[in-house]
Amino acid sequence: MDIQEPPRQVPPGQIKIENALRTLLEQKDFNSITTAEIARTSGVNEALIYRYFKDKRGLLHQVLAKDLKRFVHQIRVEIDRRNGALEKLRLMIRLHFYYYAENRIFAKILLLEVRNYPAYYESETYKIVQDYSKMILKIIQTGVRNGEIKQHIDPHPIRQAILGGIEHMCLPGVIFGGHIPADQYADDLFEIIAKGIANKSATA
């Protein structure tokens, strides 16, 4: 019989540090936040930041990785309940918009704070993003095989159009703290994408 190890207990100090960074990111950009500020906000010794995360950017990636895992899990659970590639894509787009609209620190870290650094593309967070991207590609490829999506269009640019559309539509709201109308954006983007990729028989 296999014996599973119990989940690792996260030290309270680590949780306080992660929450402190989230709080500070509501007020300023990552580069202007110091480890001393994080320590003061969290109420723990500054040395613990280096003990748990190695450095400030390691802390940023840890916070993002936790949010990414939650984000991908929620979307995966919901779309697995739907039938048909187009319906899965419709729901995925809607949930993606909602997650950015309701989790601004997550959106800020992912869209603004990590991508300009080469180390991001070797990080755990980037691997999670890749897995999510592969999940979307698989849905599109399934849609091609079952006749919902046109066969002559490469699935890769379809995926990029979806992800790029979501990010560019949300970016002003993330940068300036404005409203992100998730329902409207999701309906508009899906209609644009679906009209381009769907076989007529699939939407009849």
Side-chain angles (χ1 to χ4, degrees), residues 7-8 18 20 27-28 46 61 63 66 93 95 104 119 122 140 145 152 154 158 162 165 176 181 186 198:
R8 184 177 69 88
E18 293 171 0
Q27 308 159 13
K28 53 176 68 177
E46 187 174 351
H61 280 289
V63 169
K66 283 189 174 182
I93 290 170
L95 293 174
R104 296 302 181 93
E122 300 175 357
I140 298 168
R145 287 195 299 270
H152 68 278
D154 186 342
I158 297 173
I162 291 171
F176 301 110

Side-chain angles (χ1 to χ4, degrees), residues 3-184:
I3 299 176
Q4 294 184 347
E5 294 183 2
R8 184 177 69 88
Q9 187 70 31
V10 179
Q14 179 176 329
I15 296 173
K16 289 179 181 179
I17 292 168
E18 293 171 0
N19 290 337
L21 179 62
R22 289 187 175 95
T23 297
L24 291 167
L25 283 170
E26 293 176 0
Q27 308 159 13
K28 53 176 68 177
D29 66 274
F30 176 72
N31 287 331
S32 65
I33 297 171
T34 66
T35 53
E37 284 181 292
I38 297 170
R40 283 197 304 271
T41 304
S42 63
V44 305
N45 190 294
E46 187 174 351
L48 284 181
I49 297 172
Y50 298 96
R51 175 182 172 185
Y52 293 138
F53 307 101
K54 295 184 179 180
D55 55 26
K56 189 178 73 166
R57 189 155 289 276
L59 166 59
L60 183 72
H61 280 289
Q62 178 65 25
V63 169
L64 178 58
K66 283 189 174 182
D67 288 346
L68 269 171
K69 288 175 183 176
R70 187 180 304 112
F71 164 70
V72 174
H73 174 73
Q74 289 180 0
I75 290 184
R76 190 184 301 275
V77 168
E78 291 297 326
I79 65 174
D80 282 349
R81 297 171 178 168
R82 300 299 177 96
N83 296 316
L86 290 174
E87 189 58 30
K88 287 178 183 286
L89 289 177
R90 182 199 299 272
L91 180 60
M92 183 278 299
I93 290 170
R94 183 173 300 277
L95 293 174
H96 200 138
F97 273 118
Y98 263 103
Y99 209 86
Y100 278 170
E102 296 176 1
N103 299 272
R104 296 302 181 93
I105 298 305
F106 165 73
K108 182 178 181 180
I109 296 174
L110 185 59
L111 300 183
L112 303 177
E113 302 288 4
V114 296
R115 292 178 176 174
N116 292 332
Y117 292 85
Y120 164 68
Y121 298 96
E122 300 175 357
S123 68
E124 178 190 7
T125 52
Y126 184 60
K127 291 177 182 177
I128 299 169
V129 169
Q130 286 182 306
D131 287 342
Y132 177 58
S133 183
K134 289 175 184 176
M135 179 179 71
I136 298 170
L137 184 63
K138 185 177 178 180
I139 293 171
I140 298 168
Q141 291 170 333
T142 300
V144 172
R145 287 195 299 270
N146 67 22
E148 286 186 79
I149 295 174
K150 297 173 182 176
Q151 292 186 353
H152 68 278
I153 304 177
D154 186 342
H156 293 80
I158 297 173
R159 175 186 61 185
Q160 297 309 103
I162 291 171
L163 292 175
I166 293 171
E167 293 190 1
H168 282 282
M169 292 168 78
C170 288
L171 203 55
V174 174
I175 293 173
F176 301 110
H179 176 56
I180 296 176
D183 284 327
Q184 177 189 332

